[in-house]
Amino acid sequence: MNPTQKIVYLALLTGQSLALFLLEGLIPLPFLAPGAKLGLANLITLIALYTLPRWQDAALVLFLRILLASLFGGGPTILLYSLSGGVLSFAAMALLKKSGRFTPLGISSAGGFFHHIGQLLAASFIIGGPQLFAYLPILGPCGLLTGFLLGGTASKILVHIKIVV
């Protein structure tokens, strides 16, 4: 893949990720946990991890999506929570993928769980105490379940993507 093709592919992944993030904001979800979301944009992050040659390229897609989503209507609070959850989630997924011992199902499930850990860490820092971690027994299973569902979806998509990088 030449540099121009790589830039176009990165832009396409970023655009798809941003579109899924914005679409998800329009879906009313009767979740048990207030603030819990499906994390549809993580689908593209997982695909980026599997189709791009370097983890740094996938991290760029994630960072650009978070930055653009914050600029398009999220504001600084969304930026803080998205970055804290996204960075921790991405680190966990990249490390698990690198180990070669996990499928996209397991990697995505861990990503969903660690996203909530990152957000709770940021919130705990803001309020000055760990009280919000009492919310983890509700958020944790939500992250595992949505991560599992997105990992299954990513697995189905990845078999149809011709990786040329």
Side-chain angles (χ1 to χ4, degrees):
M1 178 178 287
N2 68 43
T4 302
Q5 289 172 319
K6 181 178 177 182
I7 290 171
V8 169
Y9 188 61
L10 289 170
L12 284 170
L13 289 173
T14 302
Q16 290 170 340
S17 180
L18 181 60
L20 287 173
F21 175 83
L22 294 172
L23 175 68
E24 182 176 3
L26 301 173
I27 301 171
L29 293 175
F31 261 93
L32 297 173
K37 295 171 33 174
L38 294 173
L40 296 177
N42 192 51
L43 175 65
I44 304 302
T45 304
L46 193 59
I47 289 170
L49 266 174
Y50 276 89
T51 60
L52 290 167
R54 302 174 332 129
W55 66 265
Q56 293 93 334
D57 296 327
L60 177 61
V61 170
L62 172 70
F63 177 74
L64 289 173
R65 190 257 306 155
I66 290 171
L67 182 63
L68 290 169
S70 297
L71 290 173
F72 287 153
T77 303
I78 294 295
L79 178 64
L80 172 69
Y81 287 113
S82 292
L83 271 177
S84 59
V87 167
L88 192 57
S89 171
F90 184 83
M93 291 192 308
L95 288 170
L96 291 176
K97 182 185 178 294
K98 185 178 180 177
S99 77
R101 296 163 54 186
F102 298 90
T103 67
L105 289 171
I107 291 169
S108 183
S109 295
F113 183 79
F114 278 98
H115 186 85
H116 290 302
I117 297 287
Q119 289 182 324
L120 288 172
L121 283 170
S124 293
F125 177 75
I126 289 170
I127 67 164
Q131 303 90 320
L132 289 176
F133 274 91
Y135 198 34
L136 188 59
I138 296 169
L139 284 178
C142 288
L144 289 170
L145 177 63
T146 58
F148 184 81
L149 295 172
L150 290 172
T153 304
S155 295
K156 300 279 186 200
I157 292 170
L158 285 167
V159 298
H160 297 288
I161 294 177
K162 180 179 177 187
I163 301 172
V164 292
V165 291

